[in-house]
Amino acid sequence: MNSVNIKNRKARYNYHVLDKYVSGIVLSGNEIKSIRESKASLNNCYCEFDSNNELYIINMNIDEYANSNEKDYSPQKKRKLLLNKTELKKLTKESVNPGVTIVPLNLFINKKGLAKITIALAKGKKEFDKRNVIKDRENKIN
């Protein structure tokens, strides 16, 4: 069995990670098949709460499965994340703070074959922080 690990590469560059959570995700059958073929992307996606205090991932792109017969398939629809009540309460309380957001870090398939997503409570980096990251990376190379 091949391991699927789809990463959000820009997340660690654009944000300081404060806290991490592993969450389940509600998917249709064709979506999980596409993820198993690594046809998904976490670029420019984020998480937000709806009016019922449920957490959804927005802008996550899952390509349509090749043999699918779905007529109105939307690759970037909102998808519900599955977390405990205590984790949801903690995230709700923290995400109210200014500058703090919830971003996905990576999408993977666990040993049981279920799709899981690692989300992080994160604070946006300033421009000079990003420049320091680049400088440190280049110094490490030389």
Side-chain angles (χ1 to χ4, degrees):
M1 185 173 118
N2 64 340
S3 63
V4 175
N5 192 5
I6 300 162
K7 294 182 181 178
N8 185 356
R9 295 199 169 142
K10 288 201 172 187
R12 292 190 190 275
Y13 176 72
N14 290 328
Y15 299 98
H16 290 291
V17 175
L18 304 175
D19 205 1
K20 289 185 196 175
Y21 299 91
V22 175
S23 166
I25 185 167
V26 177
L27 298 168
S28 70
N30 289 326
E31 289 173 336
I32 188 68
K33 289 177 184 177
S34 289
I35 289 173
R36 286 192 178 123
E37 292 179 354
S38 296
K39 293 186 176 177
S41 170
L42 295 176
N43 293 340
N44 299 325
C45 66
Y46 59 96
C47 301
E48 71 179 15
F49 287 93
D50 71 344
S51 57
N52 300 335
N53 273 352
E54 294 176 331
L55 191 62
Y56 285 88
I57 187 164
I58 315 288
N59 279 348
M60 183 171 89
N61 188 32
I62 299 177
D63 293 338
E64 189 171 7
Y65 185 63
N67 300 333
S68 132
N69 293 328
E70 281 188 58
K71 299 213 182 323
D72 297 327
Y73 180 72
S74 171
Q76 291 189 332
K77 69 180 182 182
K78 286 176 30 170
R79 293 176 178 89
K80 186 177 176 183
L81 297 179
L82 306 169
L83 289 161
N84 300 354
K85 273 188 181 178
T86 54
E87 291 173 329
L88 283 171
K89 282 181 185 174
K90 221 183 278 186
L91 282 169
T92 313
K93 195 166 64 173
E94 291 293 326
S95 65
V96 174
N97 297 337
V100 176
T101 186
I102 304 168
V103 291
L105 297 178
N106 70 329
L107 176 68
F108 62 95
I109 303 227
N110 69 1
K111 290 176 182 163
K112 292 182 180 179
L114 301 173
K116 298 285 183 179
I117 190 160
T118 306
I119 59 173
L121 200 61
K123 192 168 180 85
K125 284 185 182 177
K126 304 281 190 250
E127 195 63 39
F128 65 87
D129 290 334
K130 294 177 188 179
R131 283 196 293 265
N132 287 340
V133 169
I134 294 170
K135 194 187 308 177
D136 291 344
R137 192 180 316 137
E138 287 175 355
N139 288 338
K140 198 179 279 186
I141 291 170
N142 296 333

